[in-house]
């Protein structure tokens, strides 16, 4: 039975939080008319039942006026389970319609909030306000679920194609390594490149906005938004160094392992094969160094400085960020060329000297290491942790993308294989594949180490 009491002129009516009070005109114990509804949220609030204030007229003929207390409908706030690398808490587990709910975001050490969503029971998105680690939303008249993802963001790189609504001011520029960025009308920086879509037999490549990626013959240029690079933490103790190993969550660029697939070079009187990582084009691109290049057996060998001081390293990171990246001894031994389960043949003949790099590619052994979260070398398909998707920028620069839903592009490993080939991860996530070093639609997924 609902609690009631007379509503008399000038009388105070206490009403606890979480209740409506309704003013009814009663006659002979029967409700005649609803005169006022009010939602009460302040605990212990007192309200004056003043007839004139409520626009009521004097009651007669045996009628009276009653205050009836009705519980306010409340809706559940559920925090999604399965969040990793951080958590979200709400200041209440249920709330009435339009009540403010405050969310507190707690990323794990080294992580930042990536995405945050509040979804009503019917599937509609609920607007969230605020910045930093405290956000709020107004409770709808439905149960809601709060979801969040967390990521390590470090460095900047062109990624998403420019929205049509954004204009670019080419007179306002900044130079970062190989890039000259221009300021967009949305306050973000943009990079411009000529489209060079991989020639795809199954159809056209599409950008994230649904438009087609043009081939180089179209002589078309596009702008791409410069965005934070998201990284996956594979371990916090890489090879016993106490350093954190990061792997890009996306395919960021397109680059051949080396320029030619069947031309050997000579460095310090030693034969260097096309699948030699130490003298590879892709290592030069990653670290902004020169490398030895030779077009054919009769051509003169010379240093190629295309990436010197303007590789991925110099283009993606500020001076402050560069100082945080650890110079790493990269294992290029024969043992690194075989999977962690010892199923594949090691490329003893093609293994090269260890290198000292700030940015590198993963090896066949590393990309099949269960401690890093990877499955066996032959595991493939949806949900495989090795699957990587190319950014819009990578597609424009020639990176491959599988047309099958939930499948990505293929990306180089640093490990050589027999026959002058190089190991790579295919678009299904399988890691026992090999290609010639000069394959030009190969993708780059950088790795690096930082201090914990």
């Amino acid at each position: 039975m609902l609690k009631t009491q007379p509503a008399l002129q000038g009388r105070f009516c206490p009403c606890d939080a979480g209740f409506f009070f309704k003013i009814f005109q009663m006659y002979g114990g029967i409700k005649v008319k609803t005169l006022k509804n009010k939602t009460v949220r302040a605990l212990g609030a007192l309200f004056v039942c003043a007839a004139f204030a409520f626009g009521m007229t004097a009651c007669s003929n045996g009628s009276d006026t009653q205050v009836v207390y009705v519980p306010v409908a409340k809706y559940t706030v559920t925090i999604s389970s399965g969040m990793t690398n951080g958590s979200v808490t709400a200041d209440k587990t249920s709330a009435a319609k339009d009540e403010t709910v405050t969310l507190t975001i707690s990323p794990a050490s080294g992580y930042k909030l990536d995405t945050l969503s509040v979804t009503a029971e019917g599937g509609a998105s609920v607007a969230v306000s605020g910045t930093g680690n405290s956000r709020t939303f107004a409770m709808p008249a439905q149960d809601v679920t709060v979801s969040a993802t967390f990521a390590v963001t470090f460095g900047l790189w062109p990624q998403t194609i420019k929205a049509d609504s954004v204009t670019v001011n080419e007179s306002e520029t900044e130079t970062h390594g190989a890039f000259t960025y221009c300021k967009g009308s949305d306050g973000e920086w943009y990079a411009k490149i000529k489209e060079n879509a991989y020639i795809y037999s199954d159809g056209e490549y599409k950008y994230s906005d649904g438009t087609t990626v043009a081939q180089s013959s179209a002589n078309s240029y596009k702008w791409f938004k410069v965005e934070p690079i998201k990284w996956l933490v594979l371990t916090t103790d890489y090879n016993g160094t106490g350093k954190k190993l990061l792997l890009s969550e996306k395919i960021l660029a397109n680059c051949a392992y080396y320029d030619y697939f069947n031309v050997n070079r000579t460095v310090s009187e030693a034969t260097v094969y096309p699948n030699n990582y130490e003298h590879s084009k892709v290592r030069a691109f990653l670290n902004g160094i020169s490398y030895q290049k030779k077009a054919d057996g009769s051509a003169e060998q010379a240093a190629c400085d295309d990436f010197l001081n303007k590789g991925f390293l110099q283009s993606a990171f500020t001076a402050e960020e560069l100082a945080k990246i650890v110079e790493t001894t990269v294992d290029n031994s024969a043992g690194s060329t075989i999977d962690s389960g010892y199923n594949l043949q090691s490329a003893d003949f093609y293994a090269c000297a260890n290198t000292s790099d700030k940015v590198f590619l993963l090896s066949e052994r590393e990309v099949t290491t269960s401690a890093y979260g990877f499955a066996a070398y032959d595991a493939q398909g949806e949900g495989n942790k090795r699957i990587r998707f190319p950014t819009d920028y990578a597609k424009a620069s020639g990176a491959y993308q599988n047309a099958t839903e939930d499948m990505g592009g293929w990306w180089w490993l640093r490990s050589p294989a027999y026959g002058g080939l190089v190991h790579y991860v295919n678009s299904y996530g399988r890691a026992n594949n090999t290609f010639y070093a000069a394959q030009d639609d190969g993708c780059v997924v950088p790795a690096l180490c930082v201090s914990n």
Side-chain angles (χ1 to χ4, degrees):
M1 179 178 292
L2 295 177
K3 175 183 176 183
T4 67
Q5 73 176 62
L8 303 177
Q9 175 73 18
R11 176 168 178 167
F12 285 92
C13 299
C15 186
D16 290 338
F19 285 84
F20 289 113
F21 71 81
K22 296 174 180 269
I23 309 297
F24 294 125
Q25 184 175 351
M26 311 290 289
Y27 185 81
I30 300 173
K31 182 177 74 170
V32 176
K33 183 179 181 182
T34 300
L35 300 171
K36 186 69 178 180
N37 291 331
K38 180 74 176 178
T39 303
V40 180
R41 293 197 179 96
L43 183 63
L46 297 176
F47 292 89
V48 179
C49 290
F52 299 116
F54 289 135
M56 293 159 49
T57 58
C59 300
S60 60
N61 299 322
S63 66
D64 61 6
T65 307
Q66 295 282 333
V67 174
V68 180
Y69 296 91
V70 182
V72 174
K74 290 199 172 187
Y75 304 93
T76 302
V77 178
T78 300
I79 305 296
S80 179
S81 60
M83 288 186 201
T84 57
N85 305 316
S87 63
V88 177
T89 57
D91 66 339
K92 47 184 70 71
T93 57
S94 62
K97 182 180 182 298
D98 295 329
E99 191 172 357
T100 298
V101 179
T102 300
L103 302 174
T104 299
I105 300 156
S106 303
S109 178
Y111 285 81
K112 295 179 181 179
L113 179 68
D114 184 21
T115 64
L116 176 68
S117 63
V118 179
T119 306
E121 190 174 28
S125 295
V126 178
V128 180
S129 301
T131 58
N133 291 332
S134 182
R135 311 290 175 95
T136 61
F137 67 92
M139 192 71 180
Q142 288 178 302
D143 295 341
V144 299
T145 299
V146 179
S147 301
T149 60
F150 299 87
V152 173
T153 57
F154 188 64
L156 297 170
W157 191 256
Q159 295 180 60
T160 306
I161 191 167
K162 180 185 71 65
D164 288 340
S165 59
V166 175
T167 57
V168 176
N169 180 4
E170 297 191 50
S171 64
E172 186 175 357
T173 65
E174 278 192 0
T175 300
H176 294 265
F179 294 116
T180 297
Y181 296 149
C182 297
K183 183 61 71 73
S185 57
D186 57 353
E188 303 290 343
W189 291 104
Y190 287 84
K192 184 181 183 180
I193 67 163
K194 181 180 178 180
E195 293 181 280
N196 183 30
Y198 173 70
I199 299 175
Y200 188 48
S201 60
D202 293 339
E204 299 175 323
Y205 281 146
K206 300 288 185 181
Y207 291 122
S208 57
D209 64 359
T211 58
T212 300
V213 186
Q215 295 177 7
S216 61
S217 58
N219 199 32
S220 171
Y221 289 80
K222 295 289 185 182
W223 291 96
F224 297 87
K225 185 178 179 180
V226 179
E227 298 170 290
I229 304 170
K230 297 177 185 178
W231 303 87
L232 182 69
V233 180
L234 298 185
T235 178
T236 56
D237 186 20
Y238 181 55
N239 292 344
T241 62
K243 306 303 180 185
K244 188 180 295 180
L245 174 62
L246 307 182
L247 180 69
S248 173
E249 289 191 358
K250 296 180 179 179
I251 291 167
L252 296 179
N254 158 253
C255 183
Y257 192 91
Y258 179 61
D259 300 273
Y260 309 103
F261 75 92
N262 60 352
V263 182
N264 298 333
R265 295 155 288 169
T266 301
V267 177
S268 300
E269 300 183 351
T271 299
V272 174
Y273 299 97
N275 59 352
N276 180 295
Y277 182 67
E278 181 183 8
H279 298 288
S280 65
K281 176 180 181 177
V282 71
R283 177 172 175 254
F285 163 72
L286 289 171
N287 291 279
I289 58 178
S290 61
Y291 69 104
Q292 292 293 312
K293 183 176 176 180
K294 186 177 182 179
D296 57 52
S298 60
E300 183 178 350
Q301 180 176 305
C304 178
D305 296 334
D306 288 353
F307 306 118
L308 186 60
N309 298 322
K310 53 183 179 180
F312 174 80
L313 181 69
Q314 296 81 13
S315 302
F317 305 105
T318 64
E320 182 180 0
E321 290 170 331
L322 285 170
K324 295 178 181 178
I325 302 174
V326 177
E327 189 88 17
T328 301
T329 299
V330 179
D331 177 16
N332 297 316
S333 67
S336 72
T337 68
I338 188 172
D339 67 291
S340 61
Y342 297 94
N343 298 286
L344 304 175
Q345 182 182 15
S346 63
D348 303 55
F349 183 73
Y350 294 99
C352 68
N354 290 347
T355 52
S356 182
D357 299 325
K358 284 205 165 188
V359 190
F360 49 94
L361 301 178
L362 292 187
S363 67
E364 176 68 36
R365 178 175 292 277
E366 289 166 346
V367 85
T368 56
T369 297
S370 60
Y372 295 168
F374 295 123
Y377 74 99
D378 55 352
Q380 64 179 26
E382 184 178 355
N384 189 298
K385 192 174 178 179
R386 287 187 289 260
I387 293 175
R388 289 291 183 275
F389 297 93
T391 62
D392 288 340
Y393 172 84
K395 292 177 186 177
S397 65
Y400 170 84
Q401 165 70 61
N402 193 309
T404 304
E405 188 175 0
D406 297 323
M407 298 300 111
W410 69 268
W411 49 286
W412 294 113
L413 300 175
R414 68 177 186 265
S415 303
Y418 272 95
L421 302 172
V422 182
H423 283 283
Y424 71 93
V425 175
N426 75 7
S427 58
Y428 293 88
R430 194 177 176 98
N432 64 335
N433 316 276
T434 58
F435 252 146
Y436 286 110
Q439 190 71 26
D440 61 3
D441 60 329
C443 303
V444 179
V445 179
L448 54 82
C449 286
V450 294
S451 298
N452 283 309

